[in-house]
Amino acid sequence: MEFNLHQALQNLNLSADWVGLRQVKESTTTRYIRDGKPQSNGKNYTQGVMVEVLVNGQFGYAATNRLDQTSIQTAAEIARNQAIAASKWAVHSFTEAVRPKAVGKYQSPLLKPFDFLSPADLNHLLIQVCQTLNISDKIVKTSALAQIIETEQLFVSSNGSNVEQTFFLIATDYSATAQDGNIVQKRTDNGMLAHSYQTGMEVFDEASVLSRARHIGEQAIELIQAQDCPNTTTTLVLAPDQMMLQIHESIGHPLELDRILGDERNYAGSSFVKLSDFGHLVYGSPLMNVTFDPTVSGEFASYAFDDAGATAKREYLIKDGILQRGLGSLESQVRTQIPGVANFRASSWNRAPIDRMANLNIEPGDASFDEIISSIESGVYMESNRSWSIDDYRNKFQFGCEYARLIENGKLTKPLKNPNYRGVTNPFWRGLVKVGDRSTMEIYGTPYCGKGEPNQVIRVGHASPVCAFENIEVFGGVT
């Protein structure tokens, strides 16, 4: 018999101020090919229900993967008891206002359904990718990975919420490792699983995929012949695939209100940002405009409602370089009295929602790529993240990239291997001197943003144009 979440809510026998049920079904298919040979052809499936209960101003949570009324009732009673126990040590008393009534549907855009390609056809394409990557006998390893995820989520509540959201998600990664003597260089498809989107099987267009694979192989060979990145302070130009990491680590995480409040301090660190900074802090140069936008079609973390029922909207976090609002859910907003966004998100049915990034984007400027490069007498252009390190306050950082080119007299010249740069968040963003126009803008994402206790690995998206920064310390070597 098909489990009916609405009926389960109606049949609960529970004294509470508010009750919510969130059912999640998710299937994940993984195809991994190494050196042209299949390594993994698996499919995982998970399903369960999270029960939220509001009592005495506190929320309690309990989850179950047993989809029957008795199990839902038991989970609800556990959640109620948890909320009552927590109320003795409450730091804030909540009301139903942080769980607004939400009604609506959402579905990811797709042109070709997930059954458009058979498993054999997809494997064949990934084998072709490996063969195309292998352009030289100096290529010592090739790999092609595809993750195909379908998620169905239903949320109902005692105050009338009824939200259905279906997500079609695909993440891919293609890579080639080249070796010449003791020099080893790896080139990927814009960084590990950076091609993560809400999309259908149209993402596996053979001509486009194989063209990218050929380019990856060529650049891997180029890198083993390249000189090391120089050690200097110069103008740094970052491609959108590296801007993804820069946005994520030095804007996204430090602006999470629960982190600023100290909720994350025990596990993932705090933030250099203070509550008094909102509305005042000069985060970056006047060219810096950052939006939180879960409404972008096809970006990896798009949705219509967050897990509290808040409506997803495009909001400026930073406008003209000034910090405006935080990455804080309705709960964090009432605790801090700081404006936030609809970002209360859980990674699965067995996790409680917390403040998370979703789509975090740099708004485009007015400079073409050629205009940016031609304006620089001396500098370094970098692509694709390879390594990262940032302190617990999300302030001091050091990032490494896969690929770089020297900028000399307004032109891209020699390729450079082992490029790295370091900085401090606010001085770095205040050095933003050029922001590319929409023609330079690209969208990427990652399935692997970790946070919370117990840990939650969630999906985020980042879009950015090409950006240039002045007076940045760059250096060579493997980090």
Side-chain angles (χ1 to χ4, degrees), residues 14 29 41 105 132 167 180 210 225 241 258 272 335 351 430 452:
L14 196 74
T29 299
N41 290 288
K105 294 184 178 182
T132 306
F167 304 96
D180 186 7
L210 296 184
Q225 300 165 350
D241 57 2
D258 60 349
F272 72 91
R335 287 173 63 188
R351 293 292 187 269
R430 290 168 189 166

Side-chain angles (χ1 to χ4, degrees), residues 146-457:
Q147 288 184 347
I148 302 167
I149 305 160
E150 182 173 355
T151 305
E152 297 176 66
Q153 183 172 310
L154 175 61
F155 174 67
V156 299
S157 71
S158 57
N159 64 338
S161 287
N162 183 14
V163 175
E164 297 178 46
Q165 300 192 96
T166 302
F167 304 96
F168 301 108
L169 305 131
I170 296 179
T172 61
D173 184 64
Y174 314 132
S175 71
T177 302
Q179 182 173 4
D180 186 7
N182 62 355
I183 298 174
V184 179
Q185 291 289 311
K186 181 180 179 181
R187 190 70 173 108
T188 66
D189 192 15
N190 299 105
M192 178 65 178
L193 288 171
H195 284 269
S196 294
Y197 305 105
Q198 292 188 25
T199 186
M201 299 302 273
E202 61 270 15
V203 77
F204 293 111
D205 174 74
E206 182 176 319
S208 173
V209 167
L210 296 184
S211 175
R212 290 194 344 241
R214 192 171 300 107
H215 183 65
I216 293 164
E218 290 168 352
Q219 287 196 333
I221 296 300
E222 196 176 350
L223 283 171
I224 59 173
Q225 300 165 350
Q227 67 184 51
D228 266 309
C229 179
N231 301 329
T232 186
T233 297
T234 189
T235 299
L236 172 66
V237 179
L238 294 181
D241 57 2
Q242 175 60 22
M243 286 296 297
M244 174 177 72
L245 189 278
Q246 189 68 57
I247 294 165
H248 187 93
E249 298 294 349
S250 68
I251 301 175
H253 282 309
L255 296 192
E256 292 163 341
L257 289 185
D258 60 349
R259 186 186 296 271
I260 297 169
L261 285 165
D263 297 357
E264 278 287 294
R265 198 169 296 159
N266 185 55
Y267 176 63
S270 184
S271 173
F272 72 91
V273 177
K274 302 184 294 293
L275 294 180
S276 59
D277 288 335
F278 288 92
H280 308 287
L281 177 66
V282 179
Y283 208 98
S285 84
L287 298 176
M288 184 184 188
N289 291 285
V290 183
T291 54
F292 169 90
D293 194 357
T295 70
V296 178
S297 180
E299 200 163 350
F300 205 41
S302 293
Y303 49 86
F305 301 91
D306 74 1
D307 289 339
T311 302
K313 298 177 183 176
R314 180 177 183 267
E315 304 277 9
Y316 274 91
L317 302 180
I318 299 169
K319 189 167 177 58
D320 301 328
I322 306 299
L323 180 60
Q324 303 292 322
R325 65 175 63 224
L327 287 168
S329 63
L330 292 173
E331 287 188 17
S332 292
Q333 291 173 51
V334 299
R335 287 173 63 188
T336 62
Q337 297 303 301
I338 298 296
V341 295
N343 72 325
F344 204 49
R345 304 172 63 209
S347 63
S348 189
W349 58 268
N350 58 0
R351 293 292 187 269
I354 55 177
D355 292 352
R356 301 308 299 259
M357 276 178 269
N359 296 334
L360 203 60
N361 305 330
I362 300 286
E363 294 299 303
D366 57 8
S368 70
F369 183 76
D370 288 343
E371 287 169 342
I372 292 174
I373 300 301
S374 65
S375 70
I376 299 168
E377 182 178 342
S378 177
V380 176
Y381 166 76
M382 297 188 190
E383 295 181 355
S384 310
N385 184 255
R386 180 178 63 181
S387 65
W388 66 95
S389 176
I390 192 164
D391 69 21
D392 284 351
Y393 290 90
R394 301 287 157 168
N395 198 23
K396 297 177 181 178
F397 62 83
Q398 178 173 297
F399 299 149
C401 294
E402 291 180 359
Y403 183 86
R405 294 187 82 91
L406 205 59
I407 304 172
E408 299 175 292
N409 301 316
K411 296 182 183 299
L412 291 175
T413 59
K414 307 178 184 104
L416 303 171
K417 67 176 183 290
N418 305 325
N420 308 276
Y421 65 99
R422 61 170 62 100
V424 177
T425 294
N426 286 154
F428 179 85
W429 286 104
R430 290 168 189 166
L432 178 65
V433 290
K434 292 283 185 181
V435 178
D437 61 20
R438 194 162 292 279
S439 71
T440 74
M441 194 147 181
E442 297 173 6
I443 296 175
Y444 295 101
T446 176
Y448 296 132
C449 176
K451 184 182 171 185
E453 292 183 290
N455 185 250
Q456 299 196 43
V457 176

